[in-house]
Amino acid sequence: MLRTALFCFTCHATSLVAEGFVDRFTRLDPTRWHAAEYDFGHARFDTDWRRENINLSQGLELNLEPHIGGINGFVSGSIRTHSPLHYGYYETRLQAAKGDGLVTGFFTYTGPYYGTRHDEIDIEILGRDTAKLHLAWFVDGKLYEQDIPLNFDAASCLHSYGFLWMPNRIEWYVNGARVFVARAEDSPLPQIPGRLYANLWAADKSIAEWAGRTDADTQASARFRSISFRPLATSDGS
């Protein structure tokens, strides 16, 4: 369980510090979150971003719909933290979107736009199969990934998903139970602090083999009831 994992880690190297946040989205805190408002020219995405596709009724709701006149076929909502975050436990309680070609994402990211290499840690639920969790991490742009079967439909109701990022491993959790561990002795791990993102997007046809193809008239929503971050501090105080 997560509590045991945190305790074991702090015994050896770190301690929890009294920082971080829990956000239940009664409003979108402008000191913490940036809401995306731009056309997105990324090769994997068929989605532009607009603030008007973010709703704050019963948490954070991201709404995807066809985009007439945009550079992409769809428009949706995306938020990210203003500040980069590092080692600690990241969690969201969410209900994913269902539909071929859709991806509900909760992840940390940094890359050339921020003046760094590309490091990333992902929790993604593909709308084509919402009984499966897609976990991924990037180290200097190289992708590592794993699919995890769920014993429920992630689009039917709210469930908790999280990851514990530490210098020597990353642990992913579903409803408080650990489902996968990536260890430094087995593969490289992200090291660079990244912004925390939540979004819903339609995949470009170039990755249809992975995500599926989104029907042109698709409308969908992903709901994030809460997002939290609990940082870890190393024993030397850094």
Short mmCIF file of all heavy atoms in Angstrom, two decimals, residues 111-177:
data_model
loop_
_atom_site.label_atom_id
_atom_site.label_comp_id
_atom_site.label_asym_id
_atom_site.label_seq_id
_atom_site.Cartn_x
_atom_site.Cartn_y
_atom_site.Cartn_z
N GLY A 111 10.58 19.79 -21.10
CA GLY A 111 11.22 19.55 -22.39
C GLY A 111 11.86 20.81 -22.94
O GLY A 111 12.03 21.81 -22.22
N PRO A 112 12.20 20.80 -24.21
CA PRO A 112 12.91 21.93 -24.82
C PRO A 112 12.21 23.27 -24.64
O PRO A 112 12.88 24.31 -24.53
CB PRO A 112 13.00 21.52 -26.29
CG PRO A 112 13.01 20.03 -26.26
CD PRO A 112 12.10 19.65 -25.13
N TYR A 113 10.87 23.29 -24.63
CA TYR A 113 10.15 24.55 -24.42
C TYR A 113 10.56 25.20 -23.10
O TYR A 113 10.58 26.43 -22.99
CB TYR A 113 8.65 24.30 -24.46
CG TYR A 113 7.81 25.54 -24.23
CD1 TYR A 113 7.54 26.43 -25.27
CD2 TYR A 113 7.30 25.83 -22.96
CE1 TYR A 113 6.78 27.57 -25.05
CE2 TYR A 113 6.54 26.98 -22.74
CZ TYR A 113 6.27 27.84 -23.79
OH TYR A 113 5.53 28.97 -23.57
N TYR A 114 10.88 24.39 -22.12
CA TYR A 114 11.29 24.89 -20.80
C TYR A 114 12.81 24.91 -20.64
O TYR A 114 13.32 25.11 -19.54
CB TYR A 114 10.67 24.04 -19.69
CG TYR A 114 9.16 24.08 -19.69
CD1 TYR A 114 8.41 22.95 -20.01
CD2 TYR A 114 8.47 25.24 -19.36
CE1 TYR A 114 7.02 22.99 -20.01
CE2 TYR A 114 7.09 25.30 -19.36
CZ TYR A 114 6.37 24.16 -19.69
OH TYR A 114 5.00 24.21 -19.69
N GLY A 115 13.53 24.66 -21.73
CA GLY A 115 14.99 24.72 -21.69
C GLY A 115 15.65 23.50 -21.10
O GLY A 115 16.78 23.58 -20.61
N THR A 116 14.96 22.34 -21.13
CA THR A 116 15.51 21.13 -20.56
C THR A 116 15.40 19.98 -21.58
O THR A 116 14.78 20.13 -22.63
CB THR A 116 14.75 20.71 -19.29
OG1 THR A 116 13.45 20.21 -19.65
CG2 THR A 116 14.58 21.88 -18.33
N ARG A 117 15.92 18.85 -21.21
CA ARG A 117 15.66 17.63 -21.98
C ARG A 117 14.21 17.21 -21.72
O ARG A 117 13.54 17.74 -20.82
CB ARG A 117 16.63 16.52 -21.57
CG ARG A 117 16.32 15.94 -20.19
CD ARG A 117 17.33 14.89 -19.78
NE ARG A 117 16.86 14.10 -18.65
CZ ARG A 117 17.59 13.19 -18.01
NH1 ARG A 117 18.84 12.98 -18.39
NH2 ARG A 117 17.07 12.49 -17.01
N HIS A 118 13.74 16.25 -22.49
CA HIS A 118 12.36 15.76 -22.35
C HIS A 118 12.30 14.64 -21.31
O HIS A 118 12.70 13.51 -21.57
CB HIS A 118 11.85 15.27 -23.70
CG HIS A 118 10.48 14.68 -23.65
ND1 HIS A 118 9.93 13.98 -24.70
CD2 HIS A 118 9.52 14.69 -22.67
CE1 HIS A 118 8.71 13.58 -24.38
NE2 HIS A 118 8.45 13.99 -23.15
N ASP A 119 11.82 14.97 -20.09
CA ASP A 119 11.51 14.00 -19.06
C ASP A 119 10.01 14.07 -18.77
O ASP A 119 9.44 15.17 -18.74
CB ASP A 119 12.28 14.28 -17.78
CG ASP A 119 13.70 13.70 -17.79
OD1 ASP A 119 14.17 13.29 -18.88
OD2 ASP A 119 14.33 13.68 -16.72
N GLU A 120 9.38 12.92 -18.52
CA GLU A 120 7.92 12.89 -18.38
C GLU A 120 7.50 11.63 -17.63
O GLU A 120 8.13 10.59 -17.76
CB GLU A 120 7.29 12.91 -19.78
CG GLU A 120 5.78 12.97 -19.81
CD GLU A 120 5.25 13.17 -21.23
OE1 GLU A 120 6.03 13.61 -22.12
OE2 GLU A 120 4.08 12.87 -21.46
N ILE A 121 6.44 11.76 -16.82
CA ILE A 121 5.81 10.61 -16.17
C ILE A 121 4.32 10.69 -16.44
O ILE A 121 3.69 11.71 -16.16
CB ILE A 121 6.08 10.59 -14.66
CG1 ILE A 121 7.58 10.63 -14.36
CG2 ILE A 121 5.43 9.36 -14.02
CD1 ILE A 121 7.91 10.79 -12.88
N ASP A 122 3.74 9.59 -16.97
CA ASP A 122 2.36 9.62 -17.46
C ASP A 122 1.45 8.63 -16.77
O ASP A 122 1.84 7.49 -16.50
CB ASP A 122 2.32 9.26 -18.96
CG ASP A 122 2.94 10.32 -19.85
OD1 ASP A 122 3.07 11.45 -19.40
OD2 ASP A 122 3.30 9.98 -20.99
N ILE A 123 0.22 9.07 -16.57
CA ILE A 123 -0.94 8.22 -16.37
C ILE A 123 -1.91 8.58 -17.49
O ILE A 123 -2.32 9.74 -17.61
CB ILE A 123 -1.60 8.43 -15.00
CG1 ILE A 123 -0.73 7.80 -13.90
CG2 ILE A 123 -3.01 7.85 -14.96
CD1 ILE A 123 -1.24 8.06 -12.50
N GLU A 124 -2.25 7.62 -18.34
CA GLU A 124 -3.17 7.87 -19.45
C GLU A 124 -4.21 6.75 -19.51
O GLU A 124 -3.90 5.59 -19.27
CB GLU A 124 -2.40 7.92 -20.78
CG GLU A 124 -1.46 9.11 -20.88
CD GLU A 124 -0.66 9.13 -22.16
OE1 GLU A 124 -0.12 8.06 -22.53
OE2 GLU A 124 -0.55 10.20 -22.78
N ILE A 125 -5.43 7.15 -19.83
CA ILE A 125 -6.50 6.20 -20.06
C ILE A 125 -7.01 6.42 -21.47
O ILE A 125 -7.45 7.53 -21.82
CB ILE A 125 -7.63 6.36 -19.04
CG1 ILE A 125 -7.08 6.09 -17.62
CG2 ILE A 125 -8.78 5.40 -19.36
CD1 ILE A 125 -8.05 6.41 -16.52
N LEU A 126 -6.90 5.40 -22.29
CA LEU A 126 -7.35 5.49 -23.68
C LEU A 126 -8.85 5.20 -23.74
O LEU A 126 -9.31 4.18 -23.21
CB LEU A 126 -6.58 4.50 -24.55
CG LEU A 126 -5.22 4.97 -25.07
CD1 LEU A 126 -4.25 5.24 -23.95
CD2 LEU A 126 -4.64 3.93 -26.03
N GLY A 127 -9.57 6.09 -24.41
CA GLY A 127 -11.01 5.95 -24.51
C GLY A 127 -11.46 4.72 -25.25
O GLY A 127 -12.60 4.28 -25.09
N ARG A 128 -10.59 4.13 -26.04
CA ARG A 128 -10.95 2.92 -26.79
C ARG A 128 -11.02 1.70 -25.88
O ARG A 128 -11.65 0.69 -26.23
CB ARG A 128 -9.95 2.69 -27.92
CG ARG A 128 -8.58 2.21 -27.47
CD ARG A 128 -7.58 2.10 -28.60
NE ARG A 128 -8.07 1.26 -29.70
CZ ARG A 128 -7.36 0.99 -30.79
NH1 ARG A 128 -6.16 1.53 -30.94
NH2 ARG A 128 -7.84 0.22 -31.73
N ASP A 129 -10.33 1.74 -24.73
CA ASP A 129 -10.35 0.62 -23.77
C ASP A 129 -10.17 1.17 -22.37
O ASP A 129 -9.06 1.25 -21.84
CB ASP A 129 -9.23 -0.38 -24.11
CG ASP A 129 -9.27 -1.61 -23.22
OD1 ASP A 129 -10.16 -1.69 -22.34
OD2 ASP A 129 -8.41 -2.49 -23.40
N THR A 130 -11.28 1.57 -21.76
CA THR A 130 -11.22 2.22 -20.44
C THR A 130 -11.17 1.22 -19.30
O THR A 130 -11.33 1.60 -18.14
CB THR A 130 -12.41 3.18 -20.28
OG1 THR A 130 -13.63 2.48 -20.56
CG2 THR A 130 -12.27 4.37 -21.22
N ALA A 131 -10.93 -0.05 -19.61
CA ALA A 131 -10.65 -1.05 -18.58
C ALA A 131 -9.14 -1.31 -18.48
O ALA A 131 -8.71 -2.32 -17.92
CB ALA A 131 -11.38 -2.35 -18.88
N LYS A 132 -8.35 -0.39 -19.01
CA LYS A 132 -6.90 -0.54 -19.02
C LYS A 132 -6.25 0.81 -18.73
O LYS A 132 -6.75 1.86 -19.13
CB LYS A 132 -6.44 -1.06 -20.39
CG LYS A 132 -4.96 -1.33 -20.51
CD LYS A 132 -4.65 -2.04 -21.83
CE LYS A 132 -4.95 -1.18 -23.04
NZ LYS A 132 -4.59 -1.85 -24.31
N LEU A 133 -5.13 0.77 -18.01
CA LEU A 133 -4.36 1.96 -17.67
C LEU A 133 -3.05 1.92 -18.45
O LEU A 133 -2.37 0.89 -18.49
CB LEU A 133 -4.08 1.99 -16.18
CG LEU A 133 -3.44 3.24 -15.57
CD1 LEU A 133 -4.38 4.43 -15.69
CD2 LEU A 133 -3.09 2.99 -14.11
N HIS A 134 -2.70 3.05 -19.09
CA HIS A 134 -1.43 3.13 -19.81
C HIS A 134 -0.47 3.98 -18.99
O HIS A 134 -0.73 5.16 -18.72
CB HIS A 134 -1.63 3.77 -21.19
CG HIS A 134 -0.37 3.84 -21.99
ND1 HIS A 134 0.20 2.74 -22.58
CD2 HIS A 134 0.43 4.89 -22.29
CE1 HIS A 134 1.31 3.09 -23.21
NE2 HIS A 134 1.46 4.39 -23.05
N LEU A 135 0.63 3.37 -18.56
CA LEU A 135 1.67 4.06 -17.81
C LEU A 135 2.88 4.26 -18.71
O LEU A 135 3.23 3.39 -19.51
CB LEU A 135 2.09 3.21 -16.59
CG LEU A 135 0.97 2.67 -15.72
CD1 LEU A 135 1.55 1.82 -14.59
CD2 LEU A 135 0.13 3.80 -15.17
N ALA A 136 3.52 5.43 -18.57
CA ALA A 136 4.69 5.70 -19.40
C ALA A 136 5.63 6.65 -18.69
O ALA A 136 5.22 7.40 -17.79
CB ALA A 136 4.26 6.28 -20.75
N TRP A 137 6.89 6.61 -19.09
CA TRP A 137 7.86 7.60 -18.64
C TRP A 137 8.86 7.82 -19.76
O TRP A 137 9.18 6.92 -20.51
CB TRP A 137 8.52 7.20 -17.32
CG TRP A 137 9.36 5.96 -17.31
CD1 TRP A 137 10.73 5.89 -17.27
CD2 TRP A 137 8.92 4.60 -17.26
NE1 TRP A 137 11.16 4.58 -17.23
CE2 TRP A 137 10.07 3.76 -17.21
CE3 TRP A 137 7.66 4.00 -17.26
CZ2 TRP A 137 9.98 2.38 -17.16
CZ3 TRP A 137 7.58 2.60 -17.22
CH2 TRP A 137 8.72 1.81 -17.18
N PHE A 138 9.29 9.08 -19.87
CA PHE A 138 10.28 9.48 -20.86
C PHE A 138 11.53 9.95 -20.13
O PHE A 138 11.45 10.67 -19.13
CB PHE A 138 9.77 10.65 -21.72
CG PHE A 138 8.67 10.31 -22.68
CD1 PHE A 138 7.36 10.19 -22.25
CD2 PHE A 138 8.95 10.12 -24.03
CE1 PHE A 138 6.33 9.90 -23.13
CE2 PHE A 138 7.93 9.83 -24.93
CZ PHE A 138 6.62 9.72 -24.48
N VAL A 139 12.68 9.56 -20.66
CA VAL A 139 13.96 10.02 -20.15
C VAL A 139 14.77 10.54 -21.33
O VAL A 139 15.12 9.77 -22.24
CB VAL A 139 14.73 8.90 -19.42
CG1 VAL A 139 16.06 9.42 -18.89
CG2 VAL A 139 13.89 8.32 -18.29
N ASP A 140 14.99 11.85 -21.35
CA ASP A 140 15.69 12.49 -22.47
C ASP A 140 15.04 12.11 -23.80
O ASP A 140 15.71 11.82 -24.79
CB ASP A 140 17.17 12.11 -22.46
CG ASP A 140 18.01 13.08 -23.30
OD1 ASP A 140 17.51 14.16 -23.66
OD2 ASP A 140 19.19 12.74 -23.59
N GLY A 141 13.72 12.07 -23.80
CA GLY A 141 12.95 11.80 -25.01
C GLY A 141 12.72 10.35 -25.35
O GLY A 141 11.95 10.05 -26.25
N LYS A 142 13.34 9.42 -24.61
CA LYS A 142 13.14 7.99 -24.88
C LYS A 142 11.96 7.48 -24.07
O LYS A 142 11.88 7.69 -22.86
CB LYS A 142 14.39 7.19 -24.55
CG LYS A 142 14.25 5.71 -24.90
CD LYS A 142 15.53 4.93 -24.67
CE LYS A 142 15.34 3.46 -25.04
NZ LYS A 142 16.58 2.67 -24.84
N LEU A 143 11.06 6.76 -24.75
CA LEU A 143 9.82 6.29 -24.15
C LEU A 143 9.98 4.90 -23.54
O LEU A 143 10.55 3.99 -24.15
CB LEU A 143 8.72 6.24 -25.21
CG LEU A 143 7.40 5.55 -24.83
CD1 LEU A 143 6.69 6.30 -23.71
CD2 LEU A 143 6.50 5.43 -26.06
N TYR A 144 9.43 4.76 -22.33
CA TYR A 144 9.23 3.46 -21.68
C TYR A 144 7.76 3.40 -21.28
O TYR A 144 7.20 4.40 -20.83
CB TYR A 144 10.12 3.33 -20.44
CG TYR A 144 11.60 3.54 -20.72
CD1 TYR A 144 12.12 4.84 -20.77
CD2 TYR A 144 12.46 2.48 -20.93
CE1 TYR A 144 13.47 5.05 -21.03
CE2 TYR A 144 13.81 2.68 -21.18
CZ TYR A 144 14.31 3.97 -21.23
OH TYR A 144 15.64 4.19 -21.49
N GLU A 145 7.12 2.23 -21.42
CA GLU A 145 5.68 2.19 -21.20
C GLU A 145 5.22 0.82 -20.73
O GLU A 145 5.92 -0.18 -20.90
CB GLU A 145 4.93 2.59 -22.47
CG GLU A 145 5.25 1.74 -23.68
CD GLU A 145 4.65 2.31 -24.95
OE1 GLU A 145 3.66 3.05 -24.89
OE2 GLU A 145 5.17 1.98 -26.04
N GLN A 146 4.01 0.81 -20.14
CA GLN A 146 3.43 -0.41 -19.61
C GLN A 146 1.92 -0.25 -19.57
O GLN A 146 1.41 0.80 -19.17
CB GLN A 146 3.97 -0.67 -18.19
CG GLN A 146 3.48 -1.94 -17.56
CD GLN A 146 4.15 -3.18 -18.12
OE1 GLN A 146 5.32 -3.12 -18.53
NE2 GLN A 146 3.45 -4.28 -18.15
N ASP A 147 1.20 -1.30 -19.98
CA ASP A 147 -0.26 -1.32 -19.85
C ASP A 147 -0.65 -2.16 -18.64
O ASP A 147 -0.09 -3.25 -18.42
CB ASP A 147 -0.90 -1.90 -21.11
CG ASP A 147 -0.83 -0.95 -22.29
OD1 ASP A 147 -0.88 0.28 -22.06
OD2 ASP A 147 -0.71 -1.42 -23.44
N ILE A 148 -1.64 -1.65 -17.89
CA ILE A 148 -2.09 -2.31 -16.68
C ILE A 148 -3.59 -2.57 -16.79
O ILE A 148 -4.37 -1.61 -16.93
CB ILE A 148 -1.81 -1.45 -15.43
CG1 ILE A 148 -0.32 -1.12 -15.31
CG2 ILE A 148 -2.33 -2.14 -14.17
CD1 ILE A 148 0.57 -2.31 -15.05
N PRO A 149 -4.05 -3.81 -16.72
CA PRO A 149 -5.49 -4.06 -16.74
C PRO A 149 -6.14 -3.59 -15.44
O PRO A 149 -5.56 -3.69 -14.35
CB PRO A 149 -5.58 -5.58 -16.88
CG PRO A 149 -4.28 -6.10 -16.36
CD PRO A 149 -3.26 -5.05 -16.67
N LEU A 150 -7.34 -3.05 -15.56
CA LEU A 150 -8.13 -2.62 -14.41
C LEU A 150 -9.28 -3.60 -14.22
O LEU A 150 -9.73 -4.24 -15.17
CB LEU A 150 -8.68 -1.21 -14.63
CG LEU A 150 -7.64 -0.11 -14.88
CD1 LEU A 150 -8.33 1.18 -15.31
CD2 LEU A 150 -6.80 0.14 -13.62
N ASN A 151 -9.79 -3.65 -13.00
CA ASN A 151 -10.94 -4.52 -12.76
C ASN A 151 -12.24 -3.71 -12.74
O ASN A 151 -13.22 -4.09 -12.10
CB ASN A 151 -10.78 -5.30 -11.45
CG ASN A 151 -10.65 -4.39 -10.24
OD1 ASN A 151 -10.68 -3.16 -10.37
ND2 ASN A 151 -10.52 -4.97 -9.07
N PHE A 152 -12.23 -2.59 -13.48
CA PHE A 152 -13.40 -1.72 -13.57
C PHE A 152 -13.30 -0.90 -14.84
O PHE A 152 -12.26 -0.88 -15.51
CB PHE A 152 -13.51 -0.80 -12.34
CG PHE A 152 -12.27 0.03 -12.08
CD1 PHE A 152 -12.04 1.22 -12.76
CD2 PHE A 152 -11.32 -0.39 -11.15
CE1 PHE A 152 -10.92 1.98 -12.54
CE2 PHE A 152 -10.17 0.37 -10.92
CZ PHE A 152 -9.98 1.56 -11.61
N ASP A 153 -14.38 -0.20 -15.15
CA ASP A 153 -14.42 0.72 -16.30
C ASP A 153 -14.09 2.12 -15.80
O ASP A 153 -14.86 2.73 -15.06
CB ASP A 153 -15.82 0.69 -16.93
CG ASP A 153 -15.93 1.58 -18.15
OD1 ASP A 153 -14.97 2.32 -18.45
OD2 ASP A 153 -17.01 1.56 -18.79
N ALA A 154 -12.94 2.65 -16.20
CA ALA A 154 -12.48 3.95 -15.72
C ALA A 154 -13.36 5.10 -16.19
O ALA A 154 -13.25 6.21 -15.66
CB ALA A 154 -11.04 4.19 -16.18
N ALA A 155 -14.24 4.85 -17.16
CA ALA A 155 -15.13 5.90 -17.65
C ALA A 155 -16.49 5.88 -16.96
O ALA A 155 -17.31 6.76 -17.19
CB ALA A 155 -15.34 5.76 -19.16
N SER A 156 -16.73 4.88 -16.10
CA SER A 156 -18.06 4.73 -15.51
C SER A 156 -18.24 5.56 -14.24
O SER A 156 -19.36 5.95 -13.92
CB SER A 156 -18.35 3.26 -15.21
OG SER A 156 -17.46 2.77 -14.21
N CYS A 157 -17.15 5.79 -13.49
CA CYS A 157 -17.25 6.56 -12.25
C CYS A 157 -15.85 7.00 -11.82
O CYS A 157 -14.85 6.68 -12.49
CB CYS A 157 -17.92 5.76 -11.14
SG CYS A 157 -17.07 4.23 -10.72
N LEU A 158 -15.77 7.71 -10.71
CA LEU A 158 -14.50 8.24 -10.23
C LEU A 158 -13.66 7.15 -9.57
O LEU A 158 -14.17 6.33 -8.82
CB LEU A 158 -14.75 9.36 -9.21
CG LEU A 158 -15.41 10.64 -9.74
CD1 LEU A 158 -16.03 11.42 -8.60
CD2 LEU A 158 -14.38 11.49 -10.48
N HIS A 159 -12.34 7.19 -9.86
CA HIS A 159 -11.36 6.33 -9.20
C HIS A 159 -10.10 7.15 -8.99
O HIS A 159 -9.87 8.17 -9.65
CB HIS A 159 -11.05 5.10 -10.04
CG HIS A 159 -12.18 4.13 -10.15
ND1 HIS A 159 -12.41 3.15 -9.22
CD2 HIS A 159 -13.16 4.02 -11.08
CE1 HIS A 159 -13.47 2.45 -9.57
NE2 HIS A 159 -13.95 2.95 -10.69
N SER A 160 -9.25 6.69 -8.06
CA SER A 160 -8.01 7.40 -7.73
C SER A 160 -6.83 6.76 -8.45
O SER A 160 -6.70 5.53 -8.48
CB SER A 160 -7.76 7.36 -6.22
OG SER A 160 -8.77 8.07 -5.53
N TYR A 161 -5.98 7.62 -9.02
CA TYR A 161 -4.78 7.19 -9.73
C TYR A 161 -3.62 8.07 -9.27
O TYR A 161 -3.78 9.29 -9.14
CB TYR A 161 -4.95 7.36 -11.24
CG TYR A 161 -6.20 6.71 -11.80
CD1 TYR A 161 -7.41 7.40 -11.82
CD2 TYR A 161 -6.17 5.41 -12.30
CE1 TYR A 161 -8.57 6.81 -12.32
CE2 TYR A 161 -7.31 4.81 -12.80
CZ TYR A 161 -8.51 5.52 -12.80
OH TYR A 161 -9.65 4.94 -13.29
N GLY A 162 -2.48 7.46 -9.03
CA GLY A 162 -1.35 8.26 -8.57
C GLY A 162 -0.02 7.63 -8.90
O GLY A 162 0.06 6.46 -9.30
N PHE A 163 1.04 8.42 -8.74
CA PHE A 163 2.39 7.88 -8.86
C PHE A 163 3.30 8.54 -7.85
O PHE A 163 3.17 9.73 -7.53
CB PHE A 163 2.96 8.01 -10.28
CG PHE A 163 3.00 9.40 -10.84
CD1 PHE A 163 4.09 10.23 -10.63
CD2 PHE A 163 1.96 9.88 -11.62
CE1 PHE A 163 4.15 11.50 -11.17
CE2 PHE A 163 2.00 11.16 -12.16
CZ PHE A 163 3.09 11.97 -11.94
N LEU A 164 4.19 7.74 -7.30
CA LEU A 164 5.19 8.17 -6.33
C LEU A 164 6.53 8.21 -7.05
O LEU A 164 7.06 7.18 -7.47
CB LEU A 164 5.23 7.19 -5.16
CG LEU A 164 6.23 7.47 -4.04
CD1 LEU A 164 5.96 8.82 -3.38
CD2 LEU A 164 6.17 6.34 -3.01
N TRP A 165 7.05 9.41 -7.21
CA TRP A 165 8.30 9.64 -7.96
C TRP A 165 9.43 9.81 -6.97
O TRP A 165 9.40 10.74 -6.14
CB TRP A 165 8.13 10.86 -8.85
CG TRP A 165 9.30 11.22 -9.71
CD1 TRP A 165 10.39 10.47 -10.01
CD2 TRP A 165 9.48 12.46 -10.41
NE1 TRP A 165 11.25 11.15 -10.84
CE2 TRP A 165 10.71 12.39 -11.10
CE3 TRP A 165 8.72 13.62 -10.50
CZ2 TRP A 165 11.19 13.43 -11.87
CZ3 TRP A 165 9.19 14.67 -11.27
CH2 TRP A 165 10.42 14.57 -11.96
N MET A 166 10.42 8.94 -7.04
CA MET A 166 11.57 8.97 -6.15
C MET A 166 12.84 8.87 -6.99
O MET A 166 12.78 8.47 -8.16
CB MET A 166 11.49 7.83 -5.15
CG MET A 166 10.30 7.95 -4.21
SD MET A 166 10.12 6.52 -3.10
CE MET A 166 9.34 5.35 -4.21
N PRO A 167 14.00 9.21 -6.44
CA PRO A 167 15.23 9.14 -7.24
C PRO A 167 15.53 7.75 -7.78
O PRO A 167 16.09 7.62 -8.87
CB PRO A 167 16.31 9.59 -6.24
CG PRO A 167 15.59 10.44 -5.26
CD PRO A 167 14.23 9.83 -5.11
N ASN A 168 15.14 6.71 -7.05
CA ASN A 168 15.52 5.35 -7.44
C ASN A 168 14.38 4.53 -8.03
O ASN A 168 14.60 3.39 -8.45
CB ASN A 168 16.12 4.60 -6.26
CG ASN A 168 15.13 4.41 -5.12
OD1 ASN A 168 14.10 5.09 -5.06
ND2 ASN A 168 15.44 3.50 -4.22
N ARG A 169 13.14 5.06 -8.05
CA ARG A 169 12.03 4.30 -8.61
C ARG A 169 10.80 5.18 -8.76
O ARG A 169 10.71 6.26 -8.17
CB ARG A 169 11.71 3.07 -7.77
CG ARG A 169 11.14 3.36 -6.38
CD ARG A 169 11.04 2.04 -5.60
NE ARG A 169 10.38 2.20 -4.32
CZ ARG A 169 10.99 2.55 -3.20
NH1 ARG A 169 12.29 2.79 -3.20
NH2 ARG A 169 10.31 2.65 -2.07
N ILE A 170 9.87 4.70 -9.57
CA ILE A 170 8.54 5.30 -9.69
C ILE A 170 7.54 4.19 -9.42
O ILE A 170 7.64 3.09 -9.99
CB ILE A 170 8.28 5.88 -11.09
CG1 ILE A 170 9.39 6.85 -11.51
CG2 ILE A 170 6.93 6.60 -11.14
CD1 ILE A 170 9.35 7.22 -12.98
N GLU A 171 6.57 4.48 -8.55
CA GLU A 171 5.52 3.52 -8.23
C GLU A 171 4.18 4.11 -8.65
O GLU A 171 3.87 5.26 -8.31
CB GLU A 171 5.50 3.20 -6.73
CG GLU A 171 6.82 2.66 -6.20
CD GLU A 171 6.78 2.40 -4.70
OE1 GLU A 171 5.75 2.72 -4.06
OE2 GLU A 171 7.78 1.87 -4.17
N TRP A 172 3.37 3.33 -9.38
CA TRP A 172 2.05 3.78 -9.79
C TRP A 172 0.98 3.09 -8.94
O TRP A 172 1.12 1.90 -8.60
CB TRP A 172 1.81 3.47 -11.25
CG TRP A 172 2.47 4.39 -12.22
CD1 TRP A 172 1.92 5.51 -12.80
CD2 TRP A 172 3.79 4.30 -12.77
NE1 TRP A 172 2.81 6.11 -13.66
CE2 TRP A 172 3.98 5.40 -13.67
CE3 TRP A 172 4.83 3.39 -12.60
CZ2 TRP A 172 5.14 5.60 -14.38
CZ3 TRP A 172 6.01 3.59 -13.29
CH2 TRP A 172 6.16 4.68 -14.17
N TYR A 173 -0.08 3.83 -8.62
CA TYR A 173 -1.14 3.34 -7.74
C TYR A 173 -2.51 3.53 -8.37
O TYR A 173 -2.74 4.53 -9.08
CB TYR A 173 -1.09 4.09 -6.40
CG TYR A 173 0.11 3.74 -5.56
CD1 TYR A 173 1.35 4.34 -5.80
CD2 TYR A 173 0.02 2.79 -4.56
CE1 TYR A 173 2.46 4.00 -5.04
CE2 TYR A 173 1.13 2.45 -3.79
CZ TYR A 173 2.34 3.05 -4.03
OH TYR A 173 3.44 2.71 -3.29
N VAL A 174 -3.41 2.60 -8.09
CA VAL A 174 -4.82 2.71 -8.47
C VAL A 174 -5.64 2.43 -7.22
O VAL A 174 -5.50 1.36 -6.61
CB VAL A 174 -5.19 1.72 -9.59
CG1 VAL A 174 -6.69 1.81 -9.88
CG2 VAL A 174 -4.38 2.01 -10.84
N ASN A 175 -6.45 3.40 -6.83
CA ASN A 175 -7.27 3.27 -5.62
C ASN A 175 -6.45 2.84 -4.41
O ASN A 175 -6.87 2.01 -3.60
CB ASN A 175 -8.43 2.31 -5.86
CG ASN A 175 -9.44 2.87 -6.84
OD1 ASN A 175 -9.65 4.07 -6.93
ND2 ASN A 175 -10.07 1.99 -7.62
N GLY A 176 -5.23 3.39 -4.30
CA GLY A 176 -4.36 3.14 -3.16
C GLY A 176 -3.52 1.89 -3.24
O GLY A 176 -2.66 1.67 -2.39
N ALA A 177 -3.73 1.05 -4.25
CA ALA A 177 -2.96 -0.18 -4.40
C ALA A 177 -1.87 -0.01 -5.45
O ALA A 177 -2.14 0.51 -6.54
CB ALA A 177 -3.88 -1.34 -4.78
#
